[in-house]
């Protein structure tokens, strides 16, 4: 969380928020969530500062000095709006020039296939965005950084404003499906829904990224389902043994008394 990614912390907070929403909102819970959100906003610049070197911090401080004083305290948060940066990248790259329809389907389907089954190395959409789109605005490509593209920037880079509409429609349907998965009583479906929320796919990915995360989540959800079945079978077996012992105890006691009489 401090040195690499805040996703684990955000995922935990989201899971708690979903749990509270299922139980129902009360004034006390709203008050707790409000204080927690305030603390998170205040702690954000401190966490971000720990990731930056002294030279980078000084450069950013000089850049922030050019903004109004009322905006400067929130600049660390504004800089972390990855989707705003992604839209800027897509605008500089131009509409509809990222990849062909054939390449789009090839990459999307490839995201569903596990890495061991692929003949070539799987490259995440975040890395592809960094190399192929962000390089248009920075002038250099960094293959070691995975960036969030979002459906707006992705759709614009793929097919202009029509791509944005298609991406928004896809993500709306995905959000409805995930909400139904979370409320499912089936372990596999519920695990799949929680994984899709824990990975920030609904908040910072587009079509390709959503399909890519779906492929990973299906594999993990299957593993969680197997673990659940193993634990459930062991628990059921122990419960049967305990019930059989409890049912056998009165019978043996009665028989013992009849023999002594």
């Amino acid at each position: 969380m401090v040195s690499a990614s805040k996703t684990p912390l955000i995922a935990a907070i989201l899971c708690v928020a979903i749990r509270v929403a299922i139980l129902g909102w009360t004034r006390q819970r709203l008050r707790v969530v409000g204080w927690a959100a305030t603390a998170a906003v205040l702690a954000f610049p401190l966490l971000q500062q720990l990731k930056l070197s002294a030279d980078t911090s000084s450069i950013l401080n000089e850049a922030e000095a050019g903004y109004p004083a009322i905006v400067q305290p929130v600049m660390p948060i504004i800089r972390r709006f990855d989707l705003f940066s992604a839209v800027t990248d897509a605008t500089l790259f131009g509409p509809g020039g990222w990849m062909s329809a054939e390449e789009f389907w090839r990459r999307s389907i490839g995201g569903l296939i596990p890495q061991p089954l692929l003949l070539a190395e799987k490259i995440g959409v975040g890395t592809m965005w960094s190399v192929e789109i962000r390089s248009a605005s920075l002038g250099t490509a960094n293959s070691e950084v995975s960036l969030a593209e979002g459906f707006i920037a992705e759709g614009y880079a793929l097919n202009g404003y029509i791509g944005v509409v298609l991406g928004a429609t896809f993500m709306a349907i995905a959000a409805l499906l995930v909400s139904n998965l979370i409320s499912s009583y089936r372990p596999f479906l519920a695990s799949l829904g929680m994984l899709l929320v824990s990975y920030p796919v609904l908040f910072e990915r587009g079509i390709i990224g959503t399909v890519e995360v779906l492929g990973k989540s299906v594999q993990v959800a299957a593993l969680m389902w197997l673990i659940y079945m193993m634990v459930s079978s062991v628990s059921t077996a122990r419960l049967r043994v305990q019930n059989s012992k409890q049912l056998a105890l009165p019978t043996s006691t009665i028989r013992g008394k009849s023999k002594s009489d």
Side-chain angles (χ1 to χ4, degrees), residues 102-123:
E102 181 181 355
E103 181 70 10
F104 169 80
W105 288 110
R106 187 184 67 82
R107 293 187 179 186
S108 299
I109 296 174
L112 288 172
I113 302 175
Q115 176 63 50
L117 301 179
L118 291 176
L119 299 178
E121 182 181 0
K122 181 185 293 188
I123 301 177

Side-chain angles (χ1 to χ4, degrees), residues 44-110:
F44 191 92
L46 299 177
L47 293 174
Q48 200 62 29
Q49 199 70 21
L50 295 174
K51 294 184 178 183
L52 304 176
S53 62
D55 295 337
T56 304
S57 298
S58 61
I59 294 174
L60 292 176
N61 292 333
E62 293 178 3
E64 292 175 4
Y67 290 87
I70 193 174
V71 179
Q72 293 181 14
V74 296
M75 284 302 297
I77 299 178
I78 294 176
R79 282 200 306 268
R80 290 301 297 170
F81 275 128
D82 296 342
L83 302 187
F84 181 79
S85 301
V87 170
T88 304
D89 298 333
T91 303
L92 293 173
F93 184 82
W98 186 12
M99 65 181 74
S100 63
E102 181 181 355
E103 181 70 10
F104 169 80
W105 288 110
R106 187 184 67 82
R107 293 187 179 186
S108 299
I109 296 174

